[in-house]
């Protein structure tokens, strides 16, 4: 009997060792982002060792990495009832709660999981850290608390140091994050995620050559570590956008790196979709269309393919199919997954069917739909302002001024934009040029637009662009067009700002024909407005106007009347 018992213990111990080895190998496979391989291994492990909670938990993690939350939930629910480390699956359910925006439910799951954990709860705290960092609304402060708890639980855990680095980066403490990743590298030379994160920090500091060297050093250790190729691709992409003269060269390198990443991870639909995401960033629209159609053939049920097709069709001059594809996408996915760019591309496609080649609106109803979609895009992502500006300029060029103003109004929502001053100037101009030809009755309906235009010009003046004199002048023109007593008084102030700015630039500026013409009109208007309130200022301005054009009848007669 004793021999049988010992034999049973030996069998159980051997099974535990094999499972532990399997889990460690799977974790490396997950870190290398070979999710299809990891999924296959874990499904086999769940089938052969259904009493091991970690098998369910890591399988759930793989499904989450693949954005298949429903499948992840199935395995977390099954795994939480398992006695051996089943509590880890409560953390998985908490992760899903945070993705759903249910913070209280997540906290409850995390508390219960920690109650079941051993004294050294490093692994639990690491995944709680990641959960808060990847939540629908990340809580970086709580993530940092969890990461510090993971390190306190096991100061020699390289993975805990990586989690700490991730949390510190999220909290914008890059210096301490660098130290944490470096410590992780020193603790475990085989953990390539740590030097990878160090290289990413270098890349984010725009030290692109140094970052590429660091990624190549990682690949010298393990030439099949796919994430290093992905990050090389991201680095070349960032370099391409940072230096336009290198755009084509670096984009080509980035695409090659990403293809290598795909070949080393897996060739699943999920990997192809990541490649499609990269093609969008690379602006390779023909390639995106080809890739999306290939994905559609292999996976007819994944709604994201309609998004890719919509983007590609929009950029490749097929707006009708773009509208159809993006509408299909939006009808099939959770509304929370629809982002600003999705609405932007839908709007661009609708715009293409509502305006002609000269930028003139030919289908008002479709145009109104596109503006509604662009408004949603701006609400979700104000940093799309460059796109709004480009569309606005096309309408502006086609003299569809009121329509153009709607686009510039969206563009200026991003107050940190480099084109903020210009976009505000164009917003003011759009309303000015629209209103110039309108009757008094029509102008009376534009009160809100006039207020927007004045505010836009003021915002542009605050930033102080090189053409600030033009902003002052056009603002004066706007207030003359408004034509009320109050607006005329404001026009005088605007024109005085124009005069002051021009004079400050010196004789070279003053002598320009267009500037002289504007100065003449400015002095004449200011003189006329001071004629009944300040004779001295009126005479002063009319005399300056006469110096530019001494033969103007209105100026001569006004001076004669004022100097009697």
């Amino acid at each position: 009997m004793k021999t049988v018992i010992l034999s049973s213990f030996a069998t159980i111990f051997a099974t535990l060792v094999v499972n532990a080895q399997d889990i460690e190998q799977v974790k490396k496979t997950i870190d290398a982002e070979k999710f299809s391989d990891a999924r296959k291994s874990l499904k086999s492990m769940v089938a052969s060792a259904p009493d091991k909670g970690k098998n369910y938990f890591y399988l759930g993690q793989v499904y989450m990495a693949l954005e298949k939350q429903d499948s992840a939930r199935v395995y977390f629910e099954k795994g939480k009832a398992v006695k051996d480390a089943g509590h880890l699956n409560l953390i998985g359910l908490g992760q899903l709660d945070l993705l759903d925006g249910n913070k209280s439910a997540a906290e409850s799951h995390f508390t219960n999981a920690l109650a079941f954990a051993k004294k050294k709860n490093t692994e639990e705290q690491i995944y709680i850290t990641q959960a808060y960092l990847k939540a629908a609304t990340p809580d970086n402060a709580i993530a940092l608390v969890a990461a510090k708890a993971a390190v306190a639980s096991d100061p020699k855990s390289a993975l805990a140091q990586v989690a700490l680095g991730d949390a510190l980066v999220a909290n914008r403490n890059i210096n301490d994050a660098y130290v944490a990743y470096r410590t992780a590298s020193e603790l475990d030379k085989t953990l390539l995620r740590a030097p990878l994160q160090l290289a990413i920090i270098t890349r984010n500091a725009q030290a692109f050559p140094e970052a590429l060297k660091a990624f190549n050093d990682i690949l010298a250790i393990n030439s099949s570590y796919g994430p290093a190729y992905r990050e090389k691709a991201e680095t070349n992409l960032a370099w391409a956008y940072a230096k336009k003269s290198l755009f084509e060269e670096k984009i080509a390198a980035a695409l090659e790196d990403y293809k290598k990443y795909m070949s080393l991870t897996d060739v699943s639909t999920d990997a192809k979709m990541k490649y499609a995401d990269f093609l969008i960033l690379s602006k390779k629209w023909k390639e995106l269309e080809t890739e999306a159609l290939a994905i559609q053939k292999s996976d007819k049920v994944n709604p994201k393919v309609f998004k890719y097709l919509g983007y590609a069709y929009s950029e490749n001059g097929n707006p009708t199919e773009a509208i159809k594809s993006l509408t299909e996408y939006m009808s099939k996915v959770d509304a929370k997954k629809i982002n600003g760019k999705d609405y932007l591309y839908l709007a661009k496609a609708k715009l293409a069917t509502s305006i002609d080649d000269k930028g003139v609106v030919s289908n008002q109803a479709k145009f109104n739909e596109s503006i509604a979609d662009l408004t949603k895009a701006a609400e979700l992502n104000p940093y799309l302002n460059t796109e709004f500006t480009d569309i606005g300029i096309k309408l502006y060029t086609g003299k569809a001024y009121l329509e153009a103003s709607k686009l510039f109004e969206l563009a200026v929502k991003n107050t940190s934009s480099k084109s903020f001053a210009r976009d505000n100037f164009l917003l003011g101009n759009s309303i000015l040029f629209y209103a110039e030809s309108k009757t008094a009755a029509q102008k009376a309906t534009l009160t809100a637009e006039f207020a927007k235009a004045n505010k836009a010009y003021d915002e542009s003046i605050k930033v102080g662009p090189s053409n600030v004199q033009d902003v002052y002048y056009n603002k004066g023109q706007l207030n003359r067009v408004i034509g009320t007593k109050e607006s005329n008084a404001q026009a005088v102030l605007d024109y005085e700002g124009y005069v002051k700015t021009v004079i400050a630039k010196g004789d070279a500026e003053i002598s320009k024909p267009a500037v002289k013409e504007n100065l003449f009109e400015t002095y004449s208007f200011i003189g006329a407005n001071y004629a009944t309130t300040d004779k001295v200022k009126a005479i002063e301005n009319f005399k300056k106007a006469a110096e530019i054009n001494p033969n103007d009848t209105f100026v001569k007669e006004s001076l004669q009347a004022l100097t009697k």
Side-chain angles (χ1 to χ4, degrees):
M1 177 65 71
K2 186 175 181 181
T3 303
V4 172
I5 292 172
L6 287 173
S7 176
S8 298
F9 277 138
T11 301
I12 293 169
F13 180 74
T15 302
L16 288 171
V17 170
V18 168
N19 190 72
Q21 289 174 340
D22 287 345
I23 282 292
E24 290 307 309
Q25 183 56 50
V26 164
K27 285 165 72 173
K28 289 180 180 179
T29 305
I30 293 171
D31 180 56
E33 299 177 21
K34 297 181 179 181
F35 298 119
S36 294
D37 290 347
R39 178 168 50 185
K40 185 185 297 184
S41 296
L42 284 163
K43 279 191 171 183
S44 175
M45 290 163 67
V46 164
S48 62
D51 57 334
K52 305 299 177 187
K54 283 190 177 183
N55 296 343
Y56 297 92
F57 176 68
Y58 282 106
L59 183 53
Q61 293 300 320
V62 168
Y63 278 117
M64 288 185 69
L66 296 174
E67 296 185 4
K68 295 183 177 181
Q69 284 89 346
D70 289 343
S71 296
R73 187 179 298 279
V74 168
Y75 284 99
F76 290 145
E77 288 288 355
K78 288 180 179 179
K80 72 179 183 181
V82 174
K83 289 184 179 180
D84 185 356
H87 68 283
L88 283 173
N89 293 279
L90 295 174
I91 294 175
L93 292 171
Q95 289 174 298
L96 291 171
D97 290 332
L98 287 178
L99 288 175
D100 290 335
N102 192 342
K103 191 173 181 179
S104 60
E107 289 172 347
S108 177
H109 275 123
F110 296 152
T111 299
N112 289 336
L114 291 172
F116 283 104
K118 297 177 181 178
K119 186 175 182 181
K120 182 181 282 191
N121 56 16
T122 313
E123 188 171 23
E124 290 83 354
Q125 295 289 6
I126 288 171
Y127 280 98
I128 290 171
T129 300
Q130 292 181 357
Y132 280 112
L133 291 177
K134 296 176 183 177
T137 303
D139 193 325
N140 299 330
I142 293 182
L144 184 57
V145 171
K148 287 180 176 178
V151 171
S153 173
D154 185 359
K156 293 186 178 181
S157 166
L159 290 174
Q161 293 289 346
V162 169
L164 178 59
D166 293 346
L168 288 165
V169 167
N171 284 278
R172 299 185 179 181
N173 186 345
I174 305 302
N175 290 337
D176 287 349
Y178 195 93
V179 172
Y181 291 136
R182 188 177 61 197
T183 301
S185 293
E186 292 167 353
L187 288 169
D188 184 352
K189 301 292 185 184
T190 68
L191 180 63
L192 297 182
R193 182 64 54 171
L196 186 82
Q197 295 303 124
L198 287 171
I200 290 171
I201 288 176
T202 302
R203 192 240 343 270
N204 291 345
Q206 295 202 321
F208 302 125
E210 294 82 356
L212 287 174
K213 181 183 182 303
F215 292 127
N216 285 329
D217 289 344
I218 293 170
L219 291 169
I221 298 170
N222 182 352
S223 60
S224 65
Y225 188 62
Y229 280 102
R230 185 197 60 230
E231 296 304 333
K232 273 187 72 180
E234 297 286 357
T235 303
N236 277 310
L237 180 68
W239 200 346
Y241 275 91
K243 193 165 185 178
K244 298 300 182 184
S245 63
L246 296 176
F247 189 84
E248 292 301 328
E249 174 192 338
K250 293 303 175 185
I251 285 295
L255 289 171
E256 284 304 310
D257 288 329
Y258 205 88
K259 287 175 183 176
K260 185 69 174 176
Y261 162 69
M262 286 179 64
S263 71
L264 289 169
T265 51
D266 54 52
V267 290
S268 65
T269 299
D270 307 296
K272 290 178 181 178
M273 286 190 166
K274 287 179 184 178
Y275 181 54
D277 289 331
F278 201 82
L279 288 171
I280 291 171
L281 292 173
S282 305
K283 300 183 179 180
K284 299 294 183 181
W285 306 113
K286 291 292 184 183
E287 292 89 334
L288 176 64
E289 185 174 336
T290 300
E291 190 69 29
L293 288 170
I295 295 170
Q296 191 176 44
K297 286 182 180 179
S298 62
D299 188 345
K300 296 182 183 297
V301 299
N302 197 312
K304 202 171 181 181
V305 71
F306 292 108
K307 169 178 178 155
Y308 297 136
L309 286 171
Y311 281 30
Y313 287 139
S314 181
E315 290 288 349
N316 292 333
N318 192 345
T320 302
E321 286 299 318
I323 294 169
K324 181 180 175 182
S325 295
L326 286 166
T327 302
E328 182 85 0
Y329 169 69
M330 291 180 178
S331 70
K332 291 179 178 292
V333 299
D334 187 328
K336 289 183 290 187
K337 290 188 176 181
I338 303 172
N339 61 38
K341 271 198 169 182
D342 300 335
Y343 280 111
L344 170 68
Y345 275 96
L346 178 59
K348 286 171 73 172
K350 289 179 179 177
L351 272 173
T353 63
S354 68
I355 60 176
D356 62 25
D357 292 339
K358 295 179 180 178
V360 176
V361 175
S362 56
N363 185 330
Q364 191 64 49
K366 189 64 70 175
F367 178 82
N368 291 342
E369 286 182 25
S370 69
I371 293 298
D373 290 330
L374 285 167
T375 302
K376 290 177 184 175
E379 288 170 356
L380 291 169
N381 186 355
Y383 298 103
L384 294 170
N385 62 288
T386 301
E387 298 277 2
F388 304 141
T389 300
D390 289 345
I391 298 168
I393 288 173
K394 183 176 181 181
L395 293 165
Y396 186 89
T397 303
K399 298 184 179 180
Y401 294 122
L402 189 63
E403 290 83 359
S405 73
K406 307 297 183 186
L407 276 299
F408 296 128
E409 198 174 339
L410 295 174
V412 299
K413 288 181 181 293
N414 179 10
T415 57
S416 62
S417 165
K418 292 180 180 178
S419 63
F420 182 69
R422 182 198 63 184
D423 293 342
N424 272 292
F425 181 53
L426 292 173
L427 171 54
N429 287 353
S430 296
I431 294 170
L432 165 63
F433 298 156
Y434 174 76
E436 279 179 327
S437 61
K438 297 297 179 283
T439 65
Q442 289 171 326
K443 289 176 189 177
T445 66
L446 298 175
T447 304
E449 282 72 23
F450 289 144
K452 289 175 187 175
N454 263 309
K455 181 183 177 184
Y457 283 134
D458 284 337
E459 290 293 336
S460 188
I461 289 167
K462 282 180 190 176
V463 177
S466 59
N467 70 326
V468 69
Q469 69 194 57
D470 297 331
V471 186
Y472 273 118
Y473 182 79
N474 284 16
K475 188 168 184 283
Q477 296 289 85
L478 172 75
N479 282 301
R480 285 180 67 178
V481 167
I482 296 171
T484 64
K485 181 180 178 180
E486 294 77 15
S487 70
N488 283 338
Q490 180 60 51
V492 169
L493 298 176
D494 297 328
Y495 280 149
E496 287 176 340
Y498 173 75
V499 171
K500 183 178 178 182
T501 307
V502 169
I503 290 174
K505 289 188 175 183
D507 292 340
E509 185 69 24
I510 295 170
S511 64
K512 292 178 180 177
V515 173
K516 288 176 73 173
E517 185 179 332
N518 288 347
L519 283 172
F520 174 77
E521 186 175 351
T522 297
Y523 288 133
S524 299
F525 181 82
I526 295 173
N529 273 269
Y530 279 132
T532 58
T533 59
D534 192 327
K535 184 184 285 190
V536 173
K537 283 189 176 181
I539 292 171
E540 177 188 345
N541 279 279
F542 277 129
K543 282 183 176 180
K544 289 178 180 177
E547 289 174 7
I548 298 171
N549 185 358
N551 298 317
D552 185 80
T553 303
F554 173 71
V555 172
K556 286 195 295 185
E557 290 178 353
S558 296
L559 278 171
Q560 288 171 2
L562 288 166
T563 54
K564 280 183 179 180

